[in-house]
């Protein structure tokens, strides 16, 4: 009985017979147009309440702020000037120089199947560093290989689905909130407020009140063979849904392509199974350091150090026994 | 530098252009500026700052979230500690024939664990579903294991408490045929209670520590020590308040040991942290609470050692210790909740540890990869 | 495009991934810019200089597509000697009448005898060397549109211009095509139609018309704004771009001849047939050859009767009743204040909408109520709010932006009192006919004789397919009697067929609702001809004969679409050929017959009277045959090209609430030093009637904001995400401040131009989930003379920190600035910069005029509407 | 604890943990009956209608799922060669367009100088509008201009709108208004 999932993948570790390939997202932020259709389609399908006070948040065109109990897809907007772009390019280059993890294709020899009429060979001049850029990125639950929220859930409300996704059962969750503190990405949250109908009209029934809530990878669509709402609606297919191995390969190819065009700022986030969460089910292609997008630079699932933490608790308990015993021994009458 | 096979095709880099004003202005933690969520915002003023002062975040918004835990959880942490220590004192008293201490400690354990459990339930988002905690036993979840520990401890405390109340009331409890059974259960129940008590006191350290809340995560290796110490001084204090000095010798010793452990483990914990992670323990309301917790612990400890044989001084010292323990729990809880608000407390330590691993040659475990 | 048409932008992203170059020209850096290869910021309203610069670039460097230009455009046509260019007349074309502010376009005619011109055979010089050939005129006209001129006018660097011009040149020709996509950023100027014309000229020069991946793509903003132009709820046209008759056009033959002469080339020669079929559809058995098919039932126009003319008429008490069908003019139309005041002069008004839009509630919570200027107790307007059925609650068709008609099936019944507009209009018509049934008043005959009998279901909902069948048309006699027409070619002028909109004929061919065809795209080629139905004749690319060379061979394998199949003796390809199917490429045409028969085998532009693409437009535009640059009336920049500052044909209205800054032409211009431009954003839809009432959209962009550059913010003293008040000569509004490098001050000559971006989705009221001040309140009713569409994209304002005052002080604030600018005179309310104010009058002597009417039918159905001055109201 | 009361001892996740392939309680052993019965809401729809997005003129395909006479979900239609199943935020929100709590479903009437709306029967409203149409048409009727040329029109009635409704609706409006001589009809294409 391992605390962490083994190499056979999360779904198998959760007791599922391996009928399904692990499903996930590849979010290619280099073609995100920031339309927020993913946010809306997600809320529509899941009947999630709206967030906030209906005021401009002060973060470019982002007015939902962050992922949370009500917003399961969130589009970040970041405006950057030239120097920052150069730094991003430089930091991306450094990643390349670290040579990790070296699993992606390194040359364009086996370019992905592009449709006929491919003109990409006509102009491979690396673009000038633009004076300004506006990054947009749709964030979502990572569906970690080693999911902190899942590990710490005391009720079994959170489970690993047959698709490898991490899903909260709203009929089981009692809202203890432990999962919230265990998510290295700040995704899961307890729904304590929210309304679909603002102002006077609060009679709309809001589901999942008082329970932990986050992206389910549209589990209720997937059991029927359908695609999640966000990726299905994404106009430019910046969000792609599919089998995790395929998506990772596609992501790696895309990074290679962008690097060849001189965009060394492109990098993947979550595609490394050796990272602190065992790799994520939702892989991202970013154009800057993760923290720029509000993502942690080195997330670690707490469970990874749970044996040591338990050991500490055990030693502490033993110490307390000793202290009590000594107290009684020391005050013999 | 040429690092990849396509590098050679790349044109030479243009010279770096310095930003207007020649430097960067460090943003205050709460500031939300212009579109560039990280470091723009200096529209009018540009202040010189060095590279190390800057940090990237998304408009200063938190990276991780705090659990929705409020006062009741701190109360639970405190009462659970008192219950655990009291259970152990009761067992010792039973073994060493200190009947008043035994009785009072057992009743204290029952009362505190009962109230603590109510506090725990109170803080649930769906309190009516509290029994769902018993759906599973999850070794990966300190909360799950803790629930079983609390549940077990509370059950045995209930048996022992009932026994004591029955004795106090001259066997007037309407127990009927159960009375002999209850009597027979005393020893096994006391053994079970004392077995669960130390884990009840220490698991809460793992509960908070097994998180990504920066201050708790950083305190992962120390919180259990702090919490058993706090439990010890609080249980000792409770005994000193409730029981005559004649029987509270061990409680005073335990309390004294607890004070020492409390002060030492808290300081060692803070020393082990990244300054950004320790900061919430030292500043703001949580900092004030913890400062007073330490003062009261030391004062209570001194009172215990010097005046413990005086009933009133003992009671006052005990009260101080109880207060100290409560403040410790509130302080630690709120320091954690506070620590998530500033994304820097997440990002900076993570960047530091990533850089440290890279420096030591481990380059294959980053979540960011070049392909 | 990524902002307002995100789903369409998937094709741009896909093309970009394949190597296409995407260049975005916009005053602002938008979500489109973020995904383009290059963003080129431009000073609003200078597009003709930029595109004219490109035209000059391709002409001077001989980068145009010579064979295409030679064969398919009127480059070789010689223009009459009467024509004089703005280069000669310092900004005016020949034929200008200063008193009326209009042109007589006979001064721009083709050279040649009248009959030859009518037959599309004007004088030509195939060597293009004659100084009065269109080609030489173009060269001369744009000779001064140099990169330097572009820099000094548009604020675009020579590097950016070079990138743009080179990109267009390199990506046009046999192997490649360039495409232009535009939206109201071109249309909403006084001179906007000419901006679109400029890109038309460029696309013809580069050989990008009628070819896959080419063309000019109008990105239209409403589900069937195309359909409502084809089958128009517009005053100046009848279905199928037939014009409404004007006063004095009492002879039916003359009326149709003005649309298209029988001897001219192409499909417009049959305009008489199309008209008869329309009249037959409307008045059925009452339409006979003897009574000119009921032509005399049609009301006559006496000028422009556009929505802004109607607003002015309302203000004068000349309109009693007003219907709104899913439109929110209190927020969405220019000069919101006059819109609302206009409505307060109505006797009654019917609002049909899903939500309590601001145009339904202006009488209780509009800005004029807030200011105390009006109270409900003073407003006599009787209001009817009728809930409307939405797109899921009725069946019907939308025509999307590429002329494709798509049918919607009904999913559910409308709730409560909600009804479709089809049922509303049909039932209202029935009730009116019932009430008038005993009338002997001749004016009621047109109503009583109307064919007004559609099958209805149990809810009283008319069968929309029956209406579509009437639009398509059917045979009335002969062996096919009762059968639907298969194409407009089957239409007869003798009353044996009818059809409500000739260009839609075929949409119900074979009795099948062709718009409802849904063969999945993935099962078809890229043309997807079996999804929906595109007018005309299910053709997806107009003028696609031009995708083949004069000999009928595709210009290149990559870009083949339609070609001549010698073996089959027919045109064929991936699209329905836009050409007589069996007319050989070497067919000389039969000029004696006129119409389709007169087209030669290379007359690819089959709707044009000469079969050619028009680089020079002798008719159809009221403000010149070649686009030329004018400054916006409020511009603070002097026209660098001509003494004539602004478009001399522009239209405006005299009203003290419709004043304009004199701009560079008067001392008061500096009171309004900044340019503001309005636009849509992804999260909302026009005036917000379909977005601000939806929680999921409201939360995404909850507040009205303005976008300003850091430099302007510093100059004015604005705080990030604080408040600013924007003041124009019309009104003052408040907005949250987004300080962003996406807005860039432009160096124009020795001036720095600051541009302010304003989304226009918000309106003042109490019913929507999110409310705010409306940008359209700032905009005047100042119109393009071709289209009668207002200038929303290029106006002047000033900007101060903080929120605007409440109550009457708001008006006083606006007033104080007007006074400083010298716009307010004691009596004679000023027009366009205060006549009489010292130095405020337009120095170029041109006076914008008020009212215009339609000219002849536009030569091209989808092209710009044409109008000319008729008569003052 | 509602969930637990209904299940048998063998369904108790702790027992399933001990018996099954998921001893750590992170997968198969902790699913609830409701989770095991998960099905998409669209699966229980009475039907799905093919439709087109009502917002801009791109013309994206929509699939409208309905149940008990209510729209329950609107998604992109993957068959559409225009949109390939994708929708923008507005299109994705169009279920809410139909079901927003602000949607008006009753006729509202405001009499002259009134400060509030009042209710009105639809039938009455239609009749009142017809009467007013006739009266205003007559009041502002122009038979001929000052030179005696026929005009045959009324300037008393105007309409605005058409771009957001259907082609067939536009056709009926144009047809009837023109026959009635009401020439002042316009839509968003002029704006």
């Amino acid at each position: 009985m391992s605390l962490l999932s083994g190499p056979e993948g999360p779904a198998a570790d959760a007791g599922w017979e391996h009928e399904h390939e692990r499903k996930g997202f590849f979010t290619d932020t280099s073609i995100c147009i920031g339309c927020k259709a993913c946010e809306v389609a997600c809320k529509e399908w899941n009947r999630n309440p709206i967030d906030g006070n209906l005021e401009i948040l002060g973060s470019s065109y982002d007015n939902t702020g962050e992922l949370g109990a009500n917003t399961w897809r969130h589009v970040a907007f970041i405006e950057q000037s030239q120097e920052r772009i150069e730094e991003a390019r430089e930091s991306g280059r450094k990643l390349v120089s670290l040579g990790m993890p070296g699993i992606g294709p390194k040359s364009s020899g086996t370019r992905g199947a592009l449709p006929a009429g491919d003109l990409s060979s006509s102009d491979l001049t690396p673009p000038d560093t633009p004076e300004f850029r506006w990054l947009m990125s749709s964030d979502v639950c990572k569906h970690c290989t080693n999911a902190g929220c899942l590990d710490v859930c005391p009720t079994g409300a959170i489970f690993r689905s047959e698709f490898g996704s991490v899903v909260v059962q709203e009929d089981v969750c009692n809202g203890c909130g432990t999962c919230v503190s265990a998510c290295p990405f700040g995704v899961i949250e307890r729904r304590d407020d929210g309304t679909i109908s603002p102002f006077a009209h609060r009679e709309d029934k809001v589901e999942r009140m008082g329970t932990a809530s986050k992206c389910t990878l549209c589990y209720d669509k997937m059991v029927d063979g359908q695609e999640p709402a966000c990726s299905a609606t994404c106009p430019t297919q910046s969000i792609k849904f599919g089998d995790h191995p395929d998506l990772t390969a596609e992501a790696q190819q895309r990074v290679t392509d962008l690097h060849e065009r001189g965009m060394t700022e492109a990098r993947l986030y979550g595609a490394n199974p050796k990272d602190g969460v065992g790799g994520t089910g939702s892989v991202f292609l970013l154009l800057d350091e993760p923290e720029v997008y509000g993502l942690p630079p080195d997330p670690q699932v707490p469970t990874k150090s749970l044996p040591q933490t338990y050991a500490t608790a055990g030693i502490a308990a033993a110490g307390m026994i000793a202290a009590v015993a000594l107290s009684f021994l020391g005050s013999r009458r | 530098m040429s690092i990849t096979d396509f590098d050679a095709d790349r044109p030479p880099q243009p010279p770096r252009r310095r930003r207007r004003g020649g430097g960067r202005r460090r943003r205050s933690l709460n500031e939300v500026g212009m579109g560039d969520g990280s470091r723009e915002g200096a529209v009018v003023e540009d202040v010189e700052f060095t590279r190390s002062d800057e940090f990237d975040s998304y408009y200063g918004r938190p990276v991780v979230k705090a659990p929705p835990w409020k006062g009741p959880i701190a109360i639970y942490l405190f009462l659970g500690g008192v219950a655990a220590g009291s259970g152990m004192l009761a067992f010792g008293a039973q073994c060493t024939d200190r009947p008043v201490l035994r009785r009072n400690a057992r009743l204290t354990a029952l009362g505190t664990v009962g109230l603590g459990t109510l506090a725990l339930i109170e803080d649930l988002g769906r309190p009516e579903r509290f029994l769902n905690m018993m759906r599973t036993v999850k070794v990966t979840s300190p909360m799950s294991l803790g629930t079983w520990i609390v549940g077990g401890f509370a059950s045995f405390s209930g048996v022992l408490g009932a026994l004591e109340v029955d004795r106090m009331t001259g066997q007037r409890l309407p127990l009927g045929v159960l009375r002999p059974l209850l009597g027979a259960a005393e020893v096994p129940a006391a053994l079970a209670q004392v077995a669960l008590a130390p884990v009840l006191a220490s698991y809460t350290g793992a509960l908070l520590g097994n998180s990504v809340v920066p201050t708790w995560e950083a305190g992962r290796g120390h919180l259990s020590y702090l919490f058993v110490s706090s439990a010890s001084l609080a249980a000792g204090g409770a005994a000193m308040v409730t029981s005559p000095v004649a029987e509270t010798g061990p409680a005073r010793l335990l309390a004294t040991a607890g004070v020492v452990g409390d002060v030492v483990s808290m300081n060692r914990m803070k020393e082990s942290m990244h300054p950004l992670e320790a900061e919430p323990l030292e500043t703001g309301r949580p900092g004030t609470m913890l400062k007073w917790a330490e003062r009261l612990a030391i004062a209570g400890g001194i009172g215990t050692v010097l005046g413990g044989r005086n009933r009133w001084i003992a009671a006052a010292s005990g009260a101080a210790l109880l207060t100290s323990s409560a403040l410790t729990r509130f302080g630690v809880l709120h320091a954690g909740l506070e620590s998530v608000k500033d994304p820097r407390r997440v990002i900076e330590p993570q960047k530091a540890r990533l850089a440290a691993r890279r420096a030591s040659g481990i380059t294959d475990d980053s979540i960011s990869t070049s392909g | 495009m990524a902002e307002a048409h995100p789903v369409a932008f998937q094709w741009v992203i896909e093309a970009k991934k394949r190597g296409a170059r995407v260049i975005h020209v916009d005053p602002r850096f938008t979500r489109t810019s973020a995904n383009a290869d290059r963003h080129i910021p431009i000073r609003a309203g200078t597009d003709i200089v930029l595109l004219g610069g490109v035209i000059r670039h391709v002409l001077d460097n001989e980068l145009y597509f010579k064979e295409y230009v030679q064969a398919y455009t009127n480059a070789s046509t010689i223009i009459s000697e009467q024509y004089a260019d703005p280069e000669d007349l310092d900004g005016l074309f020949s034929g200008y009448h200063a008193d009326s502010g209009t042109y007589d376009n006979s001064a721009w005619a083709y050279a040649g005898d009248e009959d030859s011109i009518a037959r599309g055979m004007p004088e030509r010089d195939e060597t293009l060397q004659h100084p009065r050939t269109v080609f030489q005129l173009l060269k001369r006209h744009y000779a001064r549109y140099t990169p330097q001129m572009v820099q000094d006018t548009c604020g675009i660097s020579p590097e950016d211009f070079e990138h743009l011009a080179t990109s267009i040149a390199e990506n046009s020709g046999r192997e490649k095509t360039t495409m232009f996509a535009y939206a109201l950023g071109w249309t909403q100027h006084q001179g906007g139609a000419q901006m679109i014309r400029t890109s038309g000229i460029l696309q013809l020069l580069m050989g990008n018309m009628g070819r896959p991946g080419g063309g000019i793509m109008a990105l239209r903003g409403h589900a069937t704004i195309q359909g409502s132009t084809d089958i128009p709820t517009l005053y100046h046209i009848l279905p199928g771009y037939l014009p409404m008759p004007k006063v004095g056009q009492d002879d039916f033959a003359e009326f149709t001849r003005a649309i298209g002469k029988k001897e001219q080339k192409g499909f417009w020669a049959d305009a008489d047939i199309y008209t008869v079929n329309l009249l037959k559809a409307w008045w059925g058995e009452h339409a006979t050859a003897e009574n000119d098919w009921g032509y005399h039932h049609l009301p006559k126009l006496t000028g422009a009767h556009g929505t802004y003319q109607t607003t002015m008429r309302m203000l004068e008490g000349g309109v009693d009743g007003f219907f709104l069908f899913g439109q929110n003019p209190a927020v969405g139309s220019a000069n919101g204040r006059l819109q609302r005041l206009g409505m307060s002069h109505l006797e009654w008004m019917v609002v049909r909408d899903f939500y309590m839009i601001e145009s339904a509630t202006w009488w209780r919570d509009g800005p004029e109520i807030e200011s105390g200027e009006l109270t409900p107790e003073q407003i006599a307007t009787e209001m009817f709010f009728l809930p409307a059925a939405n797109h899921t609650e009725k069946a019907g068709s939308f025509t999307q932006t590429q002329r494709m008609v798509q049918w919607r099936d009904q999913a559910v019944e409308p709730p409560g009192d909600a009804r479709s507009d089809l049922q509303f209009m049909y039932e209202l018509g029935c009730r009116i006919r019932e009430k008038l049934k005993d009338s002997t008043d001749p004016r009621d005959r047109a109503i009583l004789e109307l064919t007004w009998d559609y099958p209805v279901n149990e809810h009283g909902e008319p069968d929309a397919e029956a209406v579509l069948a009437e639009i398509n048309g059917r045979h009335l006699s002969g062996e096919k009697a009762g059968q639907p027409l298969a194409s407009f070619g089957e239409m007869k002028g003798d009353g044996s067929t009818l059809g409500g909109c000739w260009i839609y004929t075929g949409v119900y061919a074979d009795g099948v609702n062709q718009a409802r065809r849904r063969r999945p795209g993935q099962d078809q080629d890229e043309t997807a001809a079996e999804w929906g139905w595109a007018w005309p004749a299910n053709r997806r690319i107009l003028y696609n004969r031009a995708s083949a060379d004069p000999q009928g061979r595709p210009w290149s394998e990559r870009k083949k679409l339609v070609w001549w199949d010698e073996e089959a003796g027919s045109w064929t390809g991936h699209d329905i050929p836009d050409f007589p199917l069996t007319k050989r490429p070497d067919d000389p045409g039969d000029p004696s017959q006129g119409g389709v028969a007169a087209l030669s085998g290379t007359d690819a532009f089959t709707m044009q009277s000469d079969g050619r693409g028009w680089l020079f437009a002798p008719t159809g535009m009221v403000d010149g045959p070649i686009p030329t640059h004018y400054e916006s009336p409020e511009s603070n920049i002097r026209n660098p090209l001509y003494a004539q500052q602004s478009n001399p044909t522009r239209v405006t209205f005299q009203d003290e609430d419709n004043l304009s800054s004199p701009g560079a032409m008067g001392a008061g211009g500096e009171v309004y030093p900044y340019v503001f431009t309005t636009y849509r954003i992804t999260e909302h839809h026009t005036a917000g009637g379909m977005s601000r009432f939806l929680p999921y959209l409201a939360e995404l962009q909850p507040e009205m904001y303005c976008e300003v550059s850091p430099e302007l913010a510093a100059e004015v003293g604005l705080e990030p995400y604080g408040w600013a008040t924007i003041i124009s000569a019309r009104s003052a509004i408040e907005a949250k401040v987004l300080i962003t490098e996406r807005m860039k001050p432009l160096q124009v000559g020795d001036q720095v131009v600051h541009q302010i971006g304003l989304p226009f989705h918000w309106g003042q009221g109490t019913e929507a989930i999110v409310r705010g001040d409306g940008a359209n309140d700032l905009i005047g009713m100042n119109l393009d003379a071709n289209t009668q569409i207002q200038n929303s994209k290029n106006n002047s304002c000033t900007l101060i920190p903080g929120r605007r005052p409440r109550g009457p002080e708001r008006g006083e604030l606006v007033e104080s600035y007007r006074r400083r600018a010298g716009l307010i005179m004691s009596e004679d309310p000023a027009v366009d910069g205060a006549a009489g104010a010292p130095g405020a009058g337009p120095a170029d002597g041109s006076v914008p005029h008020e009212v215009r009417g339609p000219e002849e039918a536009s030569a091209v159905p989808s092209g710009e509407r044409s109008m000319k001055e008729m008569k003052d109201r | 604890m509602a969930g637990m009361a209904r299940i048998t001892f063998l369904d108790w996740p702790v027992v399933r943990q001990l018996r099954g392939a998921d001893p750590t309680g992170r997968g198969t052993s902790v699913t609830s009956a409701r989770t095991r019965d998960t099905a998409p809401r669209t699966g229980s729809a009475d039907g799905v209608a093919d439709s087109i997005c009502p917002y801009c003129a791109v013309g994206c395909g929509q699939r409208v799922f309905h149940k008990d006479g209510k729209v329950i979900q609107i998604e992109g239609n993957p068959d559409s060669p225009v949109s390939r199943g994708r929708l923008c935020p507005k299109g994705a929100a169009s279920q809410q367009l139909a079901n927003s709590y602000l949607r008006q479903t009753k006729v509202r009437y405001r009499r002259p100088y009134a400060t509030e709306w009042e209710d009105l029967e639809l039938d009455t409203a239609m009749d009142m509008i017809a009467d007013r149409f006739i009266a205003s048409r007559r009041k502002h009727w122009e038979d001929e201009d000052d030179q005696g040329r026929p005009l045959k029109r009324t300037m008393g009635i105007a309409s605005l709108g058409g771009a957001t409704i259907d082609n067939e609706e536009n056709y009926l409006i144009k047809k009837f208004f023109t026959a009635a001589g009401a020439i002042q009809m316009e839509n968003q294409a002029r704006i």
Side-chain angles (χ1 to χ4, degrees), chain B residues 109-322:
Chain B
L110 176 60
T112 49
V113 78
L115 287 174
T117 305
L118 287 178
L120 202 55
I121 292 169
E122 157 69 22
D123 217 52
L124 294 177
R126 300 292 291 265
E128 76 279 10
R129 292 184 183 168
F130 74 94
L131 275 182
N132 277 10
M133 291 284 195
M134 306 291 188
R135 275 181 95 239
T136 62
V137 179
K138 277 176 76 168
V139 290
T140 55
S141 169
M143 182 64 115
S144 173
L145 297 186
T147 302
W148 289 103
I149 293 166
V150 175
F153 184 89
S155 309
F156 298 122
S157 300
V159 170
L160 296 170
L163 207 61
E164 294 296 348
V165 173
D166 196 39
R167 282 184 191 139
M168 280 166 70
T169 55
Q171 300 200 331
R172 278 198 213 119
L173 284 184
L175 290 173
V177 291
L178 290 176
R179 182 163 291 113
L181 281 177
L182 200 61
E186 178 169 8
V187 173
L191 281 170
Q193 187 191 45
V194 80
L196 289 171
V199 270
L200 174 62
S202 72
Y203 97 88
T204 47
L207 175 67
L208 297 193
N210 188 50
S211 75
V212 294
V213 173
T215 297
W216 298 345
E217 178 183 1
R220 183 176 279 174
H222 301 269
L223 277 172
S224 286
Y225 301 135
L226 177 68
F227 283 1
V228 294
S229 304
S230 188
S232 300
L233 66 85
M240 287 155 66
V241 171
T242 57
S243 304
V245 291
E247 291 194 12
T248 55
R252 294 196 299 273
L253 277 181
L254 182 65
T256 311
V259 169
V260 174
D262 184 281
V263 173
V264 170
S265 58
M266 176 58 102
N267 282 299
R268 283 190 54 192
M269 181 168 85
K270 288 198 279 198
E271 281 162 18
S272 73
M273 289 177 172
H274 190 286
L276 282 168
E277 294 163 339
E279 195 180 27
L281 294 168
E282 291 164 337
T283 57
R285 265 189 71 226
T288 310
M289 284 195 255
L290 290 172
K291 227 167 271 159
W292 277 101
E294 186 174 29
R295 283 174 194 157
L296 284 171
I298 292 170
I302 292 171
T304 304
V305 171
L306 299 182
R309 288 170 198 286
N310 176 300
R311 184 73 183 89
W312 297 107
I313 295 176
S317 301
L321 292 173
L322 281 166

Side-chain angles (χ1 to χ4, degrees), chain C residues 311-587:
Chain C
T311 302
M312 294 307 293
R313 198 181 173 90
M314 285 180 192
L315 287 162
E316 293 160 12
V319 181
D320 282 359
F322 190 33
F323 291 86
L324 288 181
F325 295 97
Q327 188 114 15
N328 192 5
V331 178
S333 290
N335 205 330
R337 175 179 162 79
L338 287 186
Q339 298 299 327
R340 295 181 294 267
L341 290 179
M343 289 189 276
S344 76
H345 284 77
L346 295 166
E347 285 192 2
W348 55 273
M349 178 170 165
V350 178
V351 181
R352 295 188 44 79
D353 214 297
F354 313 140
Y355 303 110
M356 271 293 173
I357 54 171
E358 288 77 5
S359 297
T361 62
W362 53 271
W363 55 272
R364 61 201 304 252
D365 58 15
E368 289 70 30
I369 307 295
E370 181 219 78
S371 71
E373 186 178 350
L374 287 177
T375 62
E377 290 86 346
Q378 298 171 317
I379 297 171
T381 312
E382 188 181 23
M383 302 286 300
F384 295 88
F385 182 94
L386 302 189
N390 69 28
H391 73 297
T392 67
E393 293 157 1
K394 60 188 183 186
S397 66
F398 288 150
T399 305
Q400 55 88 270
T401 197
Q402 292 159 298
R403 313 178 323 282
M404 181 165 63
V405 189
Q406 300 186 97
W407 191 264
R408 296 182 334 270
D409 293 338
Q410 181 176 4
V412 295
E413 291 298 329
D417 292 340
R419 297 289 182 272
S420 72
D421 297 290
L422 199 67
Q423 181 171 357
F424 168 77
M425 197 60 238
Y426 183 55
E427 199 183 323
L428 182 66
C430 289
R431 283 177 193 248
I432 291 169
R433 281 159 58 92
E434 176 66 21
K435 286 174 193 285
L436 296 176
K437 71 172 189 283
D438 299 325
S439 164
T440 54
D441 191 331
R443 81 179 69 162
D444 295 334
R445 271 185 50 219
I447 292 181
L448 294 172
E449 291 178 359
L450 196 66
T451 57
W452 199 254
D453 184 21
Y454 299 98
V456 296
N457 70 8
E458 68 271 26
H459 304 289
E461 169 79 10
D463 179 1
E465 279 203 354
V467 179
L468 187 71
E470 179 178 319
I471 292 169
N472 177 85
R474 62 179 182 270
H475 294 276
L476 291 172
S477 55
E479 59 187 38
K480 288 185 172 176
Q483 287 182 26
L485 298 176
S487 75
F488 63 79
E490 290 185 11
M491 284 182 162
K492 299 280 184 297
D494 59 2
S496 64
T497 60
L498 65 77
C501 181
W502 69 278
I503 56 175
Y504 276 56
T505 302
V507 69
Y508 209 68
D510 307 323
V512 173
N513 185 346
Q514 306 285 336
R516 197 169 178 270
R517 294 180 306 164
R518 299 193 183 110
R519 188 164 164 221
Q522 55 270 26
D523 298 345
Q524 304 191 56
D525 64 12
E526 69 271 19
T527 308
E530 291 172 56
W531 179 277
W533 184 89
W535 70 262
N538 200 28
R539 185 170 294 130
R540 305 299 164 123
I541 295 181
L542 288 177
Y543 303 133
N544 56 30
R545 162 67 181 89
S547 70
D549 68 11
Q551 289 73 42
R553 303 164 303 198
W555 286 111
S556 69
E557 194 57 26
R558 282 188 80 238
K559 287 284 176 184
K560 69 190 237 184
L561 180 67
V562 162
W563 57 91
W564 173 255
D565 182 342
E566 187 63 47
E567 269 176 40
S570 161
W571 291 91
T572 186
H574 304 310
D575 194 3
I576 311 283
D578 192 358
F579 209 64
L581 272 185
T582 56
K583 187 182 283 281
R584 301 177 54 83
D586 54 7
D587 187 321

